[in-house]
Amino acid sequence: MEKIWTNLQMNINGLTQEVKFSKTAIDEIFNPLLRKLTELQGLADRKIVVYLAAPPAAGKTTIAQCLEKLSRENIMFTNVRALGMDGFHFDSEYLKSHKILREGEEILMNDIKGAPETFDVDSMQNKLREVRQEGTNWNIYDRIIHDVVHDALSVEDDIILVEGNYLLLDEPRWTNIRILADYTIFIKAAPELLTERLITRKMKSGLTREQAENFYRTSDGKNVERVLKNSAHANETWQLQPDGDYIKLEDEEENFCEIVFEDDAEN
C-alpha cells in the first residue's frame, strides 16, 4: 500500500521549512504519544519533563516541533512546549579557551563542538529542576551568532519536551540528566543512513564532499556511535526508516534491531 504523507509548515532553528510525515506515523505514533503524555501530566498534577533523544540527523528537532504543533491543534491534548538542549553548550569563549584529553591527545573543545564534553551538564541539570516549577526561562543556541543565549525563552506549558542527542547517555554526569525525565523516547537509526544525511547537511553549509566526509569521521560519526551505543533504555523506541518515515518498536522487536558498527564486526 502506498504511503500517505502529510506536509507541514514549521519553524525549525529560526527558518520556515516544509517537512513531511506519514499519516501512519502521525496517527499511530505521534497522536498516541500526546494522548499518553496528557494522561501522565493529569495524573502527576504538575509540569512533566519528557525527553526525545536520538543520534545526530535522526530528525528529533523536526519531530519535537511537530509534536508541539499537533498538541496545540487538538483540544484533547495538553499543550507541549518543545525545547532543545543545544542552549546548554558551554559559551564559545569557554570552548575556545579550554581543552580536553581524548585518546591521549589534548584537543581544543571548540574543535569538537557538539560532543558531550562541550555541554554544561550542571547548568542543564539545574534548569531542568527549575522547569518543574511554575515558570522559568530556557537557554537557546543562536545559529546566527553561533553561541548560547541565556534565558531566552519563557517556559509556561505543562508538558516540557526536551530534544537532544545525549539526554539518555549512560555516562558519568549525564546520568544526572537522565533521571530527571518523567517519560523518555529514543530514536534508533542505521549508522549508514545517518552518515549520508550528515554529510549532505555539511555540504549544504558550504563544505566540499571531501571536507564533509572528513568532518563526519572526526566529529559527527563519533557522536552518532556514542549515542547509539551508550544510551539507556527509553520508555518507548522508534526507528527511522530509509524513506524518512518512523515506526514504533515493541520490546520484543527491539531485540532484533541491534546496531552493528564496523569495529564491532571486525572483533
Side-chain angles (χ1 to χ4, degrees):
M1 181 182 298
E2 185 176 353
K3 289 184 179 179
I4 300 174
W5 297 88
T6 299
N7 295 311
L8 301 172
Q9 292 283 340
M10 296 193 299
N11 186 291
I12 303 173
N13 295 327
L15 299 174
T16 300
Q17 301 180 34
E18 183 174 271
V19 300
K20 68 176 185 177
F21 295 102
S22 73
K23 186 176 183 301
T24 300
I26 292 174
D27 292 345
E28 298 182 8
I29 303 177
F30 298 170
N31 283 336
L33 172 66
L34 291 170
R35 191 173 301 114
K36 182 182 299 181
L37 297 181
T38 296
E39 294 173 356
L40 179 62
Q41 190 278 323
L43 290 171
D45 194 27
R46 60 166 173 79
K47 294 179 184 294
I48 63 170
V49 175
V50 181
Y51 291 168
L52 176 60
K60 61 191 177 301
T61 302
T62 304
I63 290 177
Q65 294 294 329
C66 178
L67 291 169
E68 178 179 299
K69 179 179 176 66
L70 292 173
S71 76
R72 296 173 189 274
E73 292 175 346
N74 189 327
I75 61 172
M76 300 300 294
F77 298 148
T78 300
N79 285 353
V80 168
R81 182 63 183 272
L83 301 170
M85 59 168 273
D86 281 353
F88 294 91
H89 276 94
F90 285 110
D91 294 339
S92 288
E93 183 177 345
Y94 183 94
L95 295 176
K96 291 175 181 177
S97 60
H98 287 73
K99 296 181 178 180
I100 67 165
L101 191 65
R102 175 183 278 189
E103 298 175 355
E105 180 184 358
E106 278 196 343
I107 300 175
L108 193 66
M109 291 178 73
N110 196 59
D111 291 342
I112 56 167
K113 191 173 182 177
E117 292 80 9
T118 65
F119 285 85
D120 186 350
V121 179
D122 292 337
S123 177
M124 182 161 49
Q125 180 183 353
N126 291 335
K127 189 65 72 172
L128 284 165
R129 293 186 186 280
E130 291 177 14
V131 88
R132 296 176 183 275
Q133 306 303 316
E134 286 306 310
T136 189
N137 294 318
W138 192 262
N139 299 356
I140 66 168
Y141 185 83
D142 189 316
R143 297 182 185 277
I144 296 177
I145 65 173
H146 299 290
D147 208 348
V148 173
V149 179
H150 295 270
D151 296 329
L153 297 178
S154 176
V155 181
E156 304 293 340
D157 296 287
D158 286 331
I159 299 178
I160 310 302
L161 175 63
V162 185
E163 55 88 3
N165 298 324
Y166 311 121
L167 294 167
L168 296 180
L169 207 58
D170 194 13
E171 296 183 7
R173 298 193 312 148
W174 289 95
T175 53
N176 295 331
I177 297 293
R178 179 162 54 87
I179 62 176
L180 294 177
D182 296 287
Y183 197 82
T184 57
I185 306 107
F186 185 76
I187 301 174
K188 286 186 175 182
E192 61 271 16
L193 176 58
L194 300 177
T195 300
E196 192 56 38
R197 283 184 160 212
L198 287 162
I199 289 173
T200 299
R201 179 186 292 179
K202 286 299 178 182
M203 290 174 66
K204 286 182 178 179
S205 70
L207 298 186
T208 65
R209 176 84 190 188
E210 182 179 359
Q211 290 171 327
E213 289 177 348
N214 182 63
F215 187 85
Y216 180 84
R217 285 192 298 271
T218 59
S219 182
D220 278 342
K222 293 181 182 296
N223 297 335
V224 166
E225 181 171 357
R226 197 162 169 183
V227 172
L228 289 175
K229 279 188 169 183
N230 296 349
S231 291
H233 184 74
N235 292 112
E236 59 183 81
T237 303
W238 307 345
Q239 180 93 29
L240 172 65
Q241 303 298 288
D243 63 357
D245 198 7
Y246 297 87
I247 60 172
K248 181 178 177 181
L249 300 179
E250 302 298 336
D251 287 341
E252 63 271 18
E253 187 178 358
E254 289 187 41
N255 295 328
F256 300 96
C257 298
E258 295 299 324
I259 302 296
V260 178
F261 291 89
E262 292 181 6
D263 58 344
D264 295 332
E266 292 173 358
N267 294 332

